[in-house]
Amino acid sequence: MSYLALLIQLSFVGLGSPALIGMMAWIKNRLEGRRGASVAQPWREIRKLFSKQIMNPKHTGAFFSIGPLLFFASTAVVAAMIPLITTELPLHASFDLFWVVGFLLIGTIALSLAGLDTGTSFGGMGSSRELTVVALLEPSILMAIYALSIRANSSNIFAIANATALHPARIASPASALAFAALVIVVIAEAGRLPVDNPATHLELTMIHEAMVLEYSGYRLALVKWAAAVRLLLLLGLISNLFLPVGLATTNGIGAMAIGLVLVAAKIALLGSLLAIAEVFMAKLRLFRVPELLGGSFVLGLLAVTISYYLPAATR
Amino acid sequence: MNALTQGDVTTRPLSGGAKSQRWIVASNIATLGAGVAGVVLGLEGLVGHGFAFLASGVVPPFGLSIRTTDLGSFFVILISLVATCVALYNFGYAKSGHLSAISLAIFPIFVATLEIIPLTASIPSFLFFWELMAIESICLVLDHYQRERAQHAALLYAAVTQLGFFSILGFFALVASRSHGLNFLTLQNAVASLSPGQRNLAFVLALVGFGSKAGLVPLHAWLPKAHPEAPAPASALMSTAMVSLGIFGLIKFVVVLMAGGPTWWGMLLLGIGAISSIYGVIESSVSSDLKVLLAYSTTENMGLATLALGTSLVMTSTHHPNLAWAAAVATVFILGSHAMFKGLAFLAAGTVGLETGTTDLNALGGLTRRMRFTSGAFGIAALSASGLPLGAAFIGEWILLQSLIHLGPANGLVALAAPLTIGAIALTSGIGLLTMVKAFGIGFLGKARSDLGEGLEERFGVMQFAMSLLVVANLAIALLPTAFGSVVKRVAWATPLHSLHGSGQGQLGQLTVYGLTGSIFPLASAVLFTLAVLATATVIKLRKRSRPSDADVDLWACGARDLNSAMQYNASSFAEPLERVFADVIRPKRDVEIITFEESRLLISRVELRSTPHDSIESALYLRVWAIASYGGRLARLAHNGSLNRYLAFGAAGLLVVLAVLH
Amino acid sequence: MGLIRRIVSLGKLAQPQPSLDPAREIRPDLSSGSLVLRHVDAGSCNGCEIELSACFSPIYDLESFGVSLTASPRHADGLVVTGVVTRNMQKPLMDAYIATPGPKAVVALGDCAINCNGLREGYGVTGAVADHLDVDLEIPGCPPEPAEIVAALRRVSKR
């Protein structure tokens, strides 16, 4: 039964993630007074790319061709390790938050190496910038995880979600709020959204993620785009279930899973909409201002941790 | 005699002639023998019955005293595993003539010395071999002694290592002052009778002495200077086995012999560990020489090990035995995995240096096509070092994090220290990631950044075999950490911090820490990952007919034509954004010179950017110490002007002072 | 706050476009509903560029019909070329075409791209786009109006 749950979750993530991107683009378009493309547009694009020609540039190494594959596969593995619909997934006792976040970084690293392997200045530039962001992001991630782990006394995702479910008062605690704010900044930076990176830009001066994938065509580009969408969905799903595990099924009953599916989709859609709305009001930060933002996220995480230590257990 | 008339032993090519070939083979077989013997002895000590003896003839007049302990045996195994691989590697490396006769002679003795140190059981035996190790390693740094940089590095290393030695000497003098024997076992009983002040002083002396060997900040500056000069196999040994012995000294003498101390000991270790790891990784990230980068990364990892050790001490003194134990296990894992991946990285860097003649990242690139095995080996080493899941370093860091997150409600300094510790670990692992991507991505991927010569495609030889052994070790730690559970348990137990039995047992490869909740399952993730890659690749292959056939084209590169390899990002530019962020720490030295045409100052003919790598702690601290020392030297020189009368007067005055004091 | 008020007061700016006539659709192999174009200015006076960028404004909102512009021809399904093909841009144009993965379309935007618009004899002109590449779609006008461009490109994107 847990394998059926896993299958449902993987299908939800795989099929839902382009729709999430499409929905966010649609909201932004509507706020800008546009008609907006259909929510299914990212889907069409990915499907189209799978049947396009593959261009193998000369003088690129093996990492160039397997980079997207590793990026996609690592994302798929993470998709099987995060409880979105039900807690009864196979091997759930070993789904450690540190491990999951680290695994996401494996994909980032694979793509950065692929960027370097092209031997172009753009690939190297994107890779260097991405790694700088990641290097400064990691402290915030770990700090936020730490803040959540202290009160659950474990860094296991299920333990954290359960601890929140058992003590609903904690949802609104100051530590929660601070850790949430820190994690939101992390999600924005990790998913390459405004104001850290602009997924719609191809300007040399500003692009981070896009610079690494300039040379890709066909299914390689499709894998990268799809995996990027999945990562955004997973990160949003992760924070919604860590901070508000409402509806997260604890059994494998069909009814419970259906409720879980609907609720998690609603939570992700809500978070995605808020993100899209916020993006309308934001401009991209200068690259060298991004560390300040990430530093701010780190301080929020640190405050969350310190509060967790000093406040009495009931209110943590 | 011939060597003397030529004036230089090392420049004589050893590759020619049957005699030198025999010399190489003899040296390597001896090193290999020492390595294998070390593995056997270590296993005997750890899982066998152990042994103890006193060889009275070896270190006169006290005799060599040997006694196996779990901790010592573990370090012997660690050292001898690396040594065995290095010995195998040397069969290929020495053939190319890159090892001088002196280095060849020293290698087996060095390995034997390293293996004896953890087993010594008395102060004279320990000090004798400790000093022997220092001298041998200085000789290895001086492999190319005619190079000025090698001389400078060896001098700095000698100064630091002697400072450390005197510090250790002081430590032993203090600790043994109430003891009736020089044996560690008798010493252990006498330590309890020391006053707190004496114990604190002893701790600080031990920290300086062993910290200098482990390359902890601020006594780290010799590492990045010595490693580029020493031959790669020697670097591999020094950067894994020798620096680990620094941590061994801290565990053996601070934790075991003195049985820990007040909380501030742990705090101090934690602080120094945190500073070392952060400073080491930042300097590592901006280095553009592969071996310098790896050397700074050693400071980083030894900092992490010290941090874990400090956490263990803090947890002990604040009565968290489970957590103290977890941190001790983390220390052991960090040391073990570091030895494996750093040894592998240095051997791979050595192969690169051998094949291309340089280890400068700004000259390297495009090695994956030419050197498949070495690139793969370095890739595994970099993955392990980066602290990512599926890498060896992750295991130790994860256990350490587990120890910290289970702390629960704490108060005072500990509640403040724990988050800062996690912050230090996090910053270290984040920048470590960038460093390792840079080392691998710039050094091995892309296009060659300079003319690296035409090389034949790499074949699987004895050097590659040696590296593949270490690859297996790395993967084993990363994917099946539980296989080492029973060993680590005994070693961590040897640090008498707790009295707990057993570690959590899960499914094969599922790692849990005793008494703590949470687990990871690296093997399952690895299998899943492999399956996901294969499944995606298969689907794509099956759909091949639904798309136009693949095309081989030129790089798009945003329309740039005549793209040359100098237009790629290089090591300096890759780390430049980070260098900006940490400009206050590393204080990069930059000169921009704009040269204009004579006719008009508005027309620029050339812009020169010079960026000089340097160690900000070294230039801030060492140069000042150096200035004070030379000022003192000048003052002292005023006193001895060569006049015999004055010296006699000094003697007489000294005698009078002594008499006055004694009276 | 000012921005929110503007968003509310402006509402939807996009003007309704006529529905698509299936009989006029071209290139059935590009039927995914997504058309990503790389724009190449082969020697234009920038008149067509102004109109092209107007197509992506909220008024015409070409993106809502599945058409978008990209910087890398590797990501593109075709080229949209403006202006006569000049000597200096001939090679870059061909480079961009070769760099585009198939199946791919070529759109000639404006009279200059279609027939040189009287500039054929210019010393720097090598001809119209059709002299160098197979053109799938011609959008005449000097410059064509955004509504015409939108209508023409929808024949390829089929949305």
Side-chain angles (χ1 to χ4, degrees):
Chain A
M1 238 355 226
S2 62
Y3 287 94
L4 177 69
L6 179 65
L7 200 66
I8 293 174
Q9 170 158 334
L10 286 180
S11 328
F12 165 66
V13 168
L15 299 173
S17 55
L20 174 70
I21 301 287
M23 185 200 75
M24 289 173 70
W26 186 82
I27 290 175
K28 280 177 80 171
N29 276 335
R30 287 311 286 261
L31 291 178
E32 286 164 5
R34 294 167 192 273
R35 196 180 301 109
S38 131
V39 171
Q41 190 61 25
W43 245 126
R44 294 192 190 113
E45 203 156 309
I46 289 170
R47 209 188 57 203
K48 171 196 78 184
L49 285 171
F50 270 111
S51 50
K52 285 213 69 139
Q53 190 180 19
I54 284 293
M55 311 293 261
N56 289 318
K58 292 168 193 160
H59 312 300
T60 52
F63 246 98
F64 174 78
S65 28
I66 61 164
L69 218 59
L70 297 179
F71 186 61
F72 184 79
S74 67
T75 310
V77 173
V78 173
M81 294 200 294
I82 290 179
L84 291 178
I85 299 166
T86 171
T87 55
E88 290 301 306
L89 291 175
L91 300 175
H92 66 263
S94 301
F95 292 165
D96 187 89
L97 205 42
F98 291 116
W99 182 266
V100 166
V101 171
F103 223 92
L104 272 182
L105 290 181
I106 290 184
T108 313
I109 298 304
L111 210 56
S112 310
L113 288 174
L116 280 172
D117 208 14
T118 56
T120 63
S121 37
F122 275 94
M125 184 186 76
S127 159
S128 157
R129 289 176 178 181
E130 178 96 352
L131 259 300
T132 307
V133 171
V134 165
L136 300 170
L137 195 63
E138 179 118 339
S140 313
I141 300 179
L142 258 61
M143 206 46 94
I145 296 178
Y146 183 32
L148 293 171
S149 309
I150 294 171
R151 55 185 199 202
N153 208 19
S154 170
S155 57
N156 186 293
I157 300 176
F158 296 88
I160 295 172
N162 278 336
T164 317
L166 285 176
H167 305 278
R170 282 180 179 173
I171 293 172
S173 73
S176 252
L178 287 167
F180 182 76
L183 263 188
V184 166
I185 297 178
V186 164
V187 167
I188 288 171
E190 174 68 30
R193 307 291 302 192
L194 282 172
V196 174
D197 191 7
N198 184 356
T201 189
H202 283 108
L203 274 172
E204 297 89 330
L205 290 175
T206 57
M207 62 181 167
I208 301 179
H209 178 85
E210 295 296 315
M212 297 186 291
V213 303
L214 275 179
E215 291 289 337
Y216 283 122
S217 66
Y219 72 79
R220 291 180 185 149
L221 185 63
L223 288 178
V224 171
K225 286 199 167 194
W226 196 4
V230 170
R231 287 158 80 95
L232 179 63
L233 184 137
L234 288 177
L235 288 166
L236 293 181
L238 182 66
I239 58 172
S240 57
N241 272 354
L242 282 179
F243 289 94
L244 193 68
V246 178
L248 182 62
T250 47
T251 60
N252 272 335
I254 297 293
M257 280 208 285
I259 294 173
L261 185 63
V262 171
L263 279 179
V264 80
K267 280 185 281 185
I268 292 171
L270 181 70
L271 278 177
S273 316
L274 290 177
L275 210 58
I277 293 169
E279 283 185 355
V280 175
F281 295 90
M282 258 186 259
K284 192 191 166 299
L285 276 180
R286 265 182 66 210
L287 185 69
F288 293 112
R289 298 288 301 277
V290 170
E292 293 171 21
L293 181 75
L294 300 176
S297 157
F298 178 72
V299 171
L300 289 177
L302 192 66
L303 279 177
V305 170
T306 318
I307 286 179
S308 294
Y309 274 131
Y310 283 108
L311 283 187
T315 51
R316 277 195 273 132
Chain B
M1 277 319 284
N2 193 13
L4 282 178
T5 50
Q6 283 184 0
D8 185 1
V9 188
T10 53
T11 50
R12 207 159 51 122
L14 264 167
S15 48
K19 193 176 164 193
S20 57
Q21 279 300 333
R22 274 204 300 278
W23 181 230
I24 288 171
V25 171
S27 157
N28 292 336
I29 287 179
T31 316
L32 191 62
V36 174
V39 176
V40 173
L41 288 181
L43 285 175
E44 170 65 20
L46 202 57
V47 293
H49 301 294
F51 50 87
F53 61 83
L54 180 76
S56 48
V58 182
V59 189
F62 305 98
L64 170 63
S65 173
I66 294 284
R67 173 181 293 277
T68 54
T69 56
D70 285 344
L71 183 70
S73 305
F74 167 74
F75 276 87
V76 171
I77 293 177
L78 201 65
I79 292 165
S80 48
L81 278 180
V82 178
T84 308
C85 296
V86 165
L88 284 171
Y89 181 86
N90 267 351
F91 277 105
Y93 192 84
K95 226 193 298 181
S96 62
H98 274 66
L99 282 178
S100 67
I102 293 175
S103 294
L104 277 173
I106 284 174
F107 253 104
I109 318 172
F110 186 49
V111 169
T113 311
L114 288 170
E115 287 167 358
I116 291 171
I117 289 172
L119 297 178
T120 51
S122 73
I123 296 179
S125 317
F126 180 83
L127 285 178
F128 178 80
F129 283 100
W130 191 262
E131 186 59 9
L132 194 60
M133 169 179 79
I135 295 169
E136 288 157 359
S137 51
I138 291 171
C139 293
L140 286 174
V141 172
L142 278 170
D143 185 62
H144 288 280
Y145 65 80
Q146 52 291 71
R147 276 211 293 254
E148 202 177 322
R149 281 196 315 183
Q151 295 163 8
H152 178 71
L155 198 62
L156 180 66
Y157 174 42
V160 173
T161 200
Q162 287 314 303
L163 173 75
F165 186 71
F166 283 124
S167 197
I168 294 171
L169 214 55
F171 164 76
F172 280 131
L174 206 58
V175 168
S177 58
R178 297 283 174 85
S179 171
H180 299 294
L182 297 174
N183 202 302
F184 290 153
L185 285 176
T186 45
L187 225 51
Q188 208 158 344
N189 304 323
V191 169
S193 59
L194 292 175
S195 74
Q198 285 170 323
R199 284 173 60 88
N200 288 343
L201 182 62
F203 165 68
V204 172
L205 286 172
L207 183 57
V208 172
F210 294 111
S212 72
K213 195 53 92 183
L216 298 179
V217 170
L219 296 173
H220 66 286
W222 62 273
L223 262 173
K225 293 221 177 346
H227 281 319
E229 297 306 322
S235 295
L237 268 180
M238 285 165 65
S239 205
T240 56
M242 198 174 77
V243 294
S244 298
L245 284 180
I247 306 295
F248 164 79
L250 285 177
I251 301 176
K252 171 104 184 168
F253 298 113
V254 174
V255 182
V256 179
L257 190 71
M258 299 175 72
T263 312
W264 72 265
W265 287 19
M267 288 289 188
L268 185 62
L269 280 178
L270 211 145
I272 287 185
I275 292 171
S276 299
S277 55
I278 294 177
Y279 185 77
V281 78
I282 291 177
E283 283 288 350
S284 177
S285 71
V286 297
S287 312
S288 47
D289 187 280
L290 198 51
K291 288 176 94 178
V292 176
L293 184 145
L294 292 175
Y296 272 119
S297 150
T298 299
T299 291
E300 169 212 339
N301 282 284
M302 288 304 114
L304 278 179
T306 311
L307 193 149
L309 187 64
T311 309
S312 176
L313 281 180
V314 170
M315 297 296 185
T316 311
S317 58
T318 52
H319 312 293
H320 294 96
N322 279 3
L323 307 182
W325 188 66
V329 169
T331 316
V332 177
F333 258 113
I334 290 174
L335 287 174
S337 58
H338 173 255
M340 295 305 138
F341 70 68
K342 193 53 67 63
L344 179 57
F346 265 115
L347 292 189
T351 322
V352 169
L354 204 62
E355 175 73 19
T356 64
T358 180
T359 52
D360 183 7
L361 286 172
N362 285 336
L364 290 173
L367 294 176
T368 38
R369 277 164 233 122
R370 206 162 117 189
M371 308 173 69
R372 270 182 299 155
F373 299 109
T374 305
S375 302
F378 193 87
I380 296 284
L383 171 69
S384 285
S386 63
L388 284 178
L390 306 184
F394 183 86
I395 305 294
E397 285 174 25
W398 183 79
I399 299 174
L400 180 57
L401 287 172
Q402 292 302 312
S403 158
L404 287 165
I405 62 167
H406 284 85
L407 181 58
N411 47 30
L413 214 51
V414 178
L416 207 63
L420 289 176
T421 310
I422 295 230
I425 300 170
L427 197 61
T428 308
S429 60
I431 304 172
L433 208 60
L434 179 135
T435 311
M436 287 304 147
V437 168
K438 169 176 149 173
F440 182 63
I442 302 282
F444 292 82
L445 303 182
K447 280 180 275 198
R449 287 171 178 76
S450 66
D451 182 20
L452 297 176
E454 285 296 310
L456 292 172
E457 197 163 295
E458 186 182 24
R459 279 183 301 136
F460 194 85
V462 66
M463 288 162 80
Q464 284 71 22
F465 176 68
M467 286 190 278
S468 60
L469 289 181
L470 284 171
V471 166
V472 171
N474 271 298
L475 293 179
I477 294 176
L479 301 181
L480 278 171
T482 45
F484 304 93
S486 55
V487 172
V488 170
K489 198 167 75 192
R490 293 193 57 174
V491 178
W493 195 347
T495 62
L497 299 162
H498 63 91
S499 52
L500 291 169
H501 293 273
S503 76
Q505 297 295 320
Q507 292 149 290
L508 177 73
Q510 186 173 9
L511 181 69
T512 47
V513 186
Y514 179 79
L516 311 182
T517 50
S519 70
I520 49 174
F521 203 164
L523 191 63
S525 301
V527 170
L528 268 180
F529 189 41
T530 318
L531 284 180
V533 171
L534 291 178
T536 318
T538 314
V539 169
I540 282 161
K541 193 143 203 167
L542 287 179
R543 284 182 49 92
K544 200 175 170 103
R545 249 178 298 159
S546 71
R547 55 177 188 260
S549 54
D550 299 1
D552 288 326
V553 288
D554 287 321
L555 273 167
W556 165 241
C558 296
R561 268 182 269 163
D562 312 324
L563 205 64
N564 68 38
S565 59
M567 292 174 187
Q568 301 174 88
Y569 255 50
N570 63 17
S572 316
S573 49
F574 193 84
E576 203 269 349
L578 202 73
E579 196 178 297
R580 265 178 199 240
V581 176
F582 292 105
D584 291 341
V585 181
I586 39 188
R587 300 172 191 279
K589 271 188 192 158
R590 284 239 172 101
D591 310 309
V592 182
E593 199 180 341
I594 296 169
I595 299 150
T596 53
F597 284 106
E598 263 179 42
E599 291 80 9
S600 164
R601 298 212 315 165
L602 296 174
L603 294 174
I604 294 167
S605 74
R606 203 151 46 103
V607 177
E608 277 185 21
L609 169 76
R610 239 175 274 111
S611 174
T612 343
H614 74 122
D615 187 314
S616 56
I617 289 187
E618 189 191 341
S619 35
L621 182 70
Y622 287 42
L623 290 183
R624 248 163 239 171
V625 171
W626 175 250
I628 292 169
S630 38
Y631 180 68
R634 273 203 303 280
L635 280 187
R637 207 176 300 150
L638 293 178
H640 52 96
N641 58 351
S643 146
L644 191 62
N645 294 339
R646 189 182 284 198
Y647 294 161
L648 283 174
F650 285 153
L655 193 64
L656 282 176
V657 170
V658 169
L659 284 176
V661 170
L662 286 181
H663 189 69
Chain C
M1 277 303 119
L3 194 54
I4 296 176
R5 207 174 303 130
R6 273 187 76 80
I7 289 174
V8 175
S9 66
L10 276 176
K12 205 200 269 185
L13 289 169
Q15 291 183 353
Q17 300 290 328
S19 58
L20 185 67
D21 176 11
R24 298 188 65 224
E25 286 175 7
I26 55 168
R27 288 302 295 267
D29 53 336
L30 296 171
S31 60
S32 61
S34 153
L35 179 68
V36 182
L37 292 172
R38 160 80 189 179
H39 168 227
V40 180
D41 176 346
S44 164
C45 67
N46 278 13
C48 294
E49 274 71 20
I50 292 171
E51 304 302 318
L52 186 63
S53 52
C55 292
F56 290 94
S57 68
I59 309 282
Y60 296 97
D61 200 11
L62 187 50
E63 282 204 32
S64 68
F65 300 112
V67 182
S68 56
L69 289 184
T70 179
S72 174
R74 292 265 194 268
H75 301 185
D77 304 309
L79 303 179
V80 48
V81 190
T82 53
V84 290
V85 180
T86 55
R87 237 172 257 290
N88 283 341
M89 283 305 291
Q90 185 189 357
K91 177 88 169 75
L93 174 64
M94 299 312 285
D95 281 350
Y97 183 76
I98 293 168
T100 311
K104 52 193 167 187
V106 176
V107 179
L109 179 64
D111 286 344
C112 298
I114 296 168
N115 55 23
C116 290
N117 202 10
L119 298 167
R120 191 177 289 276
E121 304 307 318
Y123 67 92
V125 177
T126 61
V129 179
D131 298 333
H132 301 89
L133 299 168
D134 291 333
V135 174
D136 297 282
L137 178 68
E138 294 182 340
I139 309 176
C142 184
E145 294 209 352
E148 293 169 14
I149 303 176
V150 170
L153 287 178
R154 285 176 67 192
R155 293 172 60 196
V156 191
S157 82
K158 303 171 190 67
R159 297 290 308 163

